Amino acid sequence: MRYISHLDLLRTFTRALRRGGVPLALSQGFNPQPRLIFAAPLAVGITGKNEYLDLYLSKYWEKGVLEEVLREQLPEGLEINAIIPADPLADPLSSLVEAALYQALSPAFSELCDHLPRDILKAEKLLVIRTGKKERRLNIRPFIYRLWLEKNHNKTRLLMLLATGSKGGARPEEVLSFFPTGKEGIKLFRENIFIRKGKTLLTPMGDTYGDCLQKLRLSW
């Protein structure tokens, strides 16, 4: 499932909702589309552990019925964890997301020193090249909030708390390019995304960043 593009994932959900007879609200304009907005599109090759989307309906449905329909219609590998009614006039999550927590796994990490992430963070600039309509150089250092290694017996993993969202951010594969192991052969997981309330980072479900770290360590 991690090799499905964001557009294909969007089509998968749209078709599942239509097969289930869910009354989708449509956008305005000459080419109306279902109002289905992912909080933070996930890059190809990364597994999402806790992903979020805003779904707008044209009429009310019980969340239990909607959850059952989605579980019947979605393919294996896409699971619904929870459905929460939201204020239809509230800003979509996509405009509120500010950070994401990633986990990277590779046997090569066991040979890395604990101080390596700290050394990387001491750099004033970490320049990467992004391609699009035009190629540009970008300093991603301001977008790296935390970066550290964790070891458990014979296993080592890299954790990254990175800025993401409409205000800019760093991509995990860009951060990995500054490690001697590179980014090849590494398994990447996005553990959760966060919005900011005051000085606190919270998931859209209301869990704090600290709560997420604790759950992550207990499950390892």
Side-chain angles (χ1 to χ4, degrees), residues 6-106:
H6 175 65
L7 287 178
D8 284 335
L9 183 63
L10 187 60
R11 292 188 191 102
T12 299
F13 267 90
T14 300
R15 289 168 181 168
L17 290 161
R18 284 175 171 161
R19 283 196 303 269
V22 178
L24 298 171
L26 301 178
S27 62
Q28 303 297 315
F30 292 105
N31 186 25
Q33 296 294 321
R35 295 191 64 196
L36 178 65
I37 307 171
F38 282 84
L42 194 62
V44 174
I46 302 178
T47 299
K49 294 288 191 70
N50 294 280
E51 299 300 304
Y52 304 84
L53 60 88
D54 289 306
L55 172 63
Y56 297 84
L57 304 182
S58 60
K59 65 180 181 180
Y60 178 77
W61 262 37
E62 290 288 343
K63 65 178 184 179
V65 177
L66 179 58
E67 187 172 342
E68 183 178 354
V69 166
L70 281 170
R71 285 181 172 164
E72 288 177 351
Q73 298 297 335
L74 287 173
E76 184 179 353
L78 287 177
E79 299 178 4
I80 302 299
N81 293 328
I83 294 177
I84 300 175
D87 181 356
L89 300 179
D91 292 333
L93 283 175
S94 57
S95 66
L96 303 175
V97 173
E98 290 200 14
L101 177 64
Y102 295 90
Q103 176 184 187
L105 299 176
S106 171

Side-chain angles (χ1 to χ4, degrees), residues 22-185:
V22 178
L24 298 171
L26 301 178
S27 62
Q28 303 297 315
F30 292 105
N31 186 25
Q33 296 294 321
R35 295 191 64 196
L36 178 65
I37 307 171
F38 282 84
L42 194 62
V44 174
I46 302 178
T47 299
K49 294 288 191 70
N50 294 280
E51 299 300 304
Y52 304 84
L53 60 88
D54 289 306
L55 172 63
Y56 297 84
L57 304 182
S58 60
K59 65 180 181 180
Y60 178 77
W61 262 37
E62 290 288 343
K63 65 178 184 179
V65 177
L66 179 58
E67 187 172 342
E68 183 178 354
V69 166
L70 281 170
R71 285 181 172 164
E72 288 177 351
Q73 298 297 335
L74 287 173
E76 184 179 353
L78 287 177
E79 299 178 4
I80 302 299
N81 293 328
I83 294 177
I84 300 175
D87 181 356
L89 300 179
D91 292 333
L93 283 175
S94 57
S95 66
L96 303 175
V97 173
E98 290 200 14
L101 177 64
Y102 295 90
Q103 176 184 187
L105 299 176
S106 171
F109 285 159
S110 62
E111 301 174 6
L112 298 180
C113 299
D114 292 338
H115 62 74
L116 182 57
R118 294 195 296 270
D119 291 343
I120 291 175
L121 290 178
K122 286 178 182 177
E124 292 184 6
K125 291 184 178 181
L126 295 171
L127 295 175
V128 299
I129 296 176
R130 285 194 184 169
T131 56
K133 292 183 178 179
K134 63 170 73 174
E135 190 174 274
R136 62 191 178 104
R137 290 164 64 85
L138 178 69
N139 175 24
I140 64 169
R141 176 61 191 88
F143 301 130
I144 306 175
Y145 295 147
R146 286 197 65 194
L147 184 66
W148 74 105
L149 289 167
E150 283 190 354
K151 297 184 179 181
N152 181 12
H153 302 296
N154 61 339
K155 298 184 295 182
T156 303
R157 65 182 175 184
L158 176 69
L159 294 174
M160 299 173 273
L161 181 64
L162 308 178
T164 191
S166 58
K167 297 178 182 178
R171 300 168 183 170
E173 61 271 22
E174 292 173 339
V175 178
L176 288 168
S177 68
F178 293 97
F179 282 78
T181 54
K183 57 186 179 181
E184 299 301 323

Side-chain angles (χ1 to χ4, degrees), residues 1-5 42-48 173 186-190:
M1 294 301 295
R2 67 178 182 268
Y3 295 114
I4 292 181
S5 71
L42 194 62
V44 174
I46 302 178
T47 299
E173 61 271 22
I186 291 176
K187 291 184 178 179
L188 271 173
F189 304 86
R190 184 158 70 186

